[in-house]
Amino acid sequence: MVSERKKFKLDRISALAIVIFILGCFLVLQLFNIQVVRGEVYTALASGQHKIYQNLNPTRGQIFIKRNDYNINNNLYPIATNEKRHEIYAIPEKITNPVKLSREVAQILNLNEEELKAKFIKEDDPYEPVLKYATDEQVAQVKALESPGLGFVPQDFRLYPEANIYGHLTGFLGFDENRRVGQYGLEGAAEEILAGQEGKLSLETDTLGNWIPTSKKDIVKEAIPGSHLVLTIDNAIQFNACFALKEGVEKYGADSGSIAIMDPKTGAILALCGYPDFDPNNYSKVEDINVYKNQVVAESYEPGSIFKPITMAAALDSLSVTPETTYDDTGEVKIDVYTLRNSDQKAHGIRNMIQVLEESLNTGAIFAMRQAGQEVFTDYVKKFNFGKPTGISLSPESPGDISSLDKRGEIYAATASYGHGITATPLQMLTAYTAIANGGILVKPYIIAETINPDGSKTKTEPKSLGRVLSAKTASNLSAILVSVIRNGHAGKAGVTGYYVGGKTGTALVPKKDARGYSDLTIHSFVGFAPVDNPRFLAIVKLDHVKNVSYAADSTGPIFGKIAKFILNYYEIPPDEG
Amino acid sequence: MSKFHRLFRRKYCYSSNKAKKIKDDCPYTRYSLAICIIVILIFGVYLFQVNGITKTGYKLRELEDRAGELKLVNEKLEIKTAKLQAISKIKKEAEALGLVEVDNIKYIGNNDVAIASVK
């Protein structure tokens, strides 16, 4: 009997021991799971909810220009950067005196007191936005009120320190539904590069939407910040060009204007301006959203007489004419039922090809086109890259329209020869002129000099040639003719004393919108480069719907002359003469 | 009967009167006591180590927070510098100081390269 009772006791102890052993094993396994397997998750959680927010949302890349006078960050001056600001919000259920608080906050933040009061008096409301992107000074002043009913959340504010000057280049960071996306300019075109990649953290939530820390489905992936862009823009040339454009638009009574300046040997854009401009820091405060469009790349127009050198290049390069080839200018050319005339409606008698450009004769351009032949002329226009986007990193970009050249009928090629019936953007015109300024070789325009990747590595943009369009001899002859256009022709005001500057004016009629034919409005353009024997810059100036003067020689010519003088002095280029 | 039971069996190891007999008759008691002491010691060392690591972890976190604060201050200063060095601002200040644009630059000398030889 006794031995049976003892035996029974031993079995119970054994059972208890086994249970305790099993529980102990389970405890060890759970500790291993929490500390080792999911340790990173709990580390992230322990860092605070703010740090989790930072890990998920990437920092947007900055946009820089090189400035030798800016001694920070390897001379990289930010024209688009991120500033840490705060959103101020109210917790109405915690506000004890909404009337007093709304008065104090409205005074500090310069807001409407009644609107704030309407938000603060909602008793069961846990959140009401007060002000987004508040500065540090504003936050400090509001914090000094020491109200438990006010809260602060960090926010990244996209800052553009130079404001209007770079508005068309940078674009701005806008909204697409609830997401922030770049729009227009580089912010739009390089959105994927600048935005980076979001990190991911997913946990199971309870019925109230709160995260359950012990849940099993969780993945943590760190956000990858955006890459930075370094532009080819020269800050001094950009500022000078934009200032001259603004002055010119106001002086000559234009509706708008644009300027682009390029290094003709590499295609690097040195300056790019549009007027009227806008402040990307306050992009919503514009009267007309069309101001966001960068006219240099987004708007194509009938270029007019600045297209004549392209026609002459085709005729010279195909050996159809020489600079001394003559024709009899009777003032008009009849094609089918159409009569095409010179802009001054006059006949000028015997004229050579140099005089065709000096005096901007439409009949001379038609003659040169006819000598080359319609097909050859069309081929050259396409070789100059018209009708296609340049591929520059700015959005949106218009490809222009040269479809009329594919139609039968000489009338289309005839009008195209002096820049009507076809359209091109200012950047396409500038790109075409690189072949003349660069010894016959067309170059691709680009504006991003370098991309700085998140890991610190750099990707440099190499200049790209689009092939030889003209022989070196044709380019040289044409450059000399363009110098003569300024010295002996209409474009005298575009010249700079002591320098060989080549260029061409264009006073183009604007087509009617709802009918055939042309209106009384004009678009004035000038394209030029200097010094002609070793061009350091190539520029186009365009003014839309000019009212105070009749011809481009009196509007865009002087603007170009002013900019050219500045650039020649800025680059310390001594005069070609004397 | 398992070894486990033999270690804790009262009949052998806890006879009330004779300590020596207990010692001689209970070698398992000594071993089990030794194991317990070792386990407690290991646990103690582990606690000490974990405590030390936790302390260092807190210090690291403080330093990380401080580094983060300094980085933020640095970023704010860079932005302040960028705003102050905006060219539109510099132009206004230059005008206020009475500075004028450069005009009529005269270049002294020429671009000829002088080559001298020594005989």
Side-chain angles (χ1 to χ4, degrees), chain A residues 10 14 17 46-47 51 67 69-70 72 77-78 81-84 136 159 161-162 165 235-236 239 243 499 565 568-569 572-575, chain B residues 1 4-5 9 11 46 61 64 72 75-79 81-91 95 101-105 107 111:
Chain A
L10 288 169
S14 302
S47 300
K51 194 161 180 195
R67 268 179 68 172
D69 60 328
Y70 187 70
I72 294 173
Y77 180 86
T81 185
N82 305 305
E83 187 181 29
K84 299 276 184 242
D136 288 349
L159 177 71
E162 288 279 17
I165 293 172
N235 195 46
F239 180 77
F243 190 73
Y499 293 90
K565 189 176 177 187
L568 289 165
N569 289 337
E572 296 177 0
I573 300 170
Chain B
M1 188 182 297
F4 179 73
H5 287 103
R9 211 172 59 175
K11 190 177 176 180
Y46 171 74
R61 188 171 161 186
E64 274 179 6
L72 194 62
E75 282 173 5
K76 285 183 191 291
L77 283 173
E78 278 188 20
I79 284 175
T81 309
K83 284 179 184 174
L84 288 171
Q85 293 210 12
I87 199 164
S88 43
K89 189 169 166 49
I90 292 172
K91 185 172 166 68
E95 281 168 3
E101 283 185 21
V102 171
D103 199 3
N104 292 326
I105 294 175
Y107 291 85
N111 289 334

Side-chain angles (χ1 to χ4, degrees), chain A residues 345-575:
Chain A
Q345 312 292 315
K346 290 180 186 167
H348 296 85
I350 303 296
R351 285 287 179 268
N352 64 27
M353 297 299 104
I354 300 169
Q355 289 164 319
V356 164
L357 291 184
E358 282 176 0
E359 295 168 36
S360 201
L361 301 173
N362 293 348
T363 54
I366 296 169
F367 171 82
M369 182 279 296
R370 277 175 162 173
Q371 293 302 111
Q374 217 173 310
E375 266 190 46
V376 169
F377 170 67
T378 303
D379 279 344
Y380 270 95
V381 170
K382 290 178 180 174
K383 270 163 73 172
F384 274 103
N385 224 49
F386 288 104
K388 286 185 273 185
T390 63
I392 196 168
S393 308
L394 294 168
S395 76
E397 188 185 7
S398 167
D401 183 7
I402 56 168
S403 58
S404 64
L405 291 176
D406 293 326
K407 293 179 186 173
R408 283 191 188 175
E410 195 192 15
I411 186 65
Y412 301 105
T415 48
S417 70
Y418 55 89
H420 280 288
I422 55 168
T423 66
T425 63
L427 187 66
Q428 284 176 314
M429 285 307 312
L430 203 66
T431 304
Y433 270 70
T434 61
I436 301 170
N438 193 28
I441 296 173
L442 202 70
V443 292
K444 183 177 188 292
Y446 68 102
I447 197 160
I448 298 175
E450 206 172 61
T451 305
I452 303 174
N453 302 310
D455 60 0
S457 64
K458 294 178 186 177
T459 310
K460 200 176 165 190
T461 307
E462 294 298 331
K464 189 178 173 188
S465 158
L466 296 175
R468 178 171 285 285
V469 178
L470 306 170
S471 66
K473 186 180 172 192
T474 304
S476 176
N477 283 342
L478 199 44
S479 298
I481 295 174
L482 293 178
V483 171
S484 186
V485 167
I486 289 181
R487 293 201 165 196
N488 305 316
H490 296 160
K493 291 176 185 175
V496 181
T497 310
Y499 293 90
Y500 291 119
V501 180
K504 183 72 185 77
T505 57
T507 306
L509 295 169
V510 178
K512 288 180 185 172
K513 279 186 185 169
D514 302 318
R516 292 187 71 164
Y518 291 89
S519 66
D520 294 331
L521 298 170
T522 51
I523 294 177
H524 294 188
S525 312
F526 186 91
V527 186
F529 54 94
V532 157
D533 58 343
N534 181 23
R536 294 288 303 275
F537 70 92
L538 167 65
I540 182 168
V541 182
K542 173 177 165 270
L543 294 180
D544 303 311
H545 311 165
V546 180
K547 296 165 192 69
N548 296 349
V549 295
S550 302
Y551 295 104
D554 299 316
S555 60
T556 50
I559 296 174
F560 175 88
K562 193 175 174 187
I563 294 169
K565 189 176 177 187
F566 170 81
I567 297 175
L568 289 165
N569 289 337
Y570 177 64
Y571 281 159
E572 296 177 0
I573 300 170

Side-chain angles (χ1 to χ4, degrees), chain A residues 139-195:
Chain A
V139 166
Q141 285 178 312
V142 172
K143 275 186 176 173
L145 298 173
E146 290 181 353
S147 168
L150 292 170
F152 307 90
V153 172
Q155 274 184 325
D156 269 347
F157 175 72
R158 194 67 168 169
L159 177 71
Y160 303 92
E162 288 279 17
N164 297 51
I165 293 172
Y166 286 98
H168 284 115
L169 264 175
T170 57
F172 54 85
L173 190 64
F175 285 92
D176 179 16
E177 295 180 350
N178 287 327
R179 215 166 59 90
R180 298 226 71 182
V181 287
Q183 290 173 328
Y184 297 92
L186 284 158
E187 295 275 27
E191 164 67 17
E192 279 185 25
I193 299 172
L194 292 168

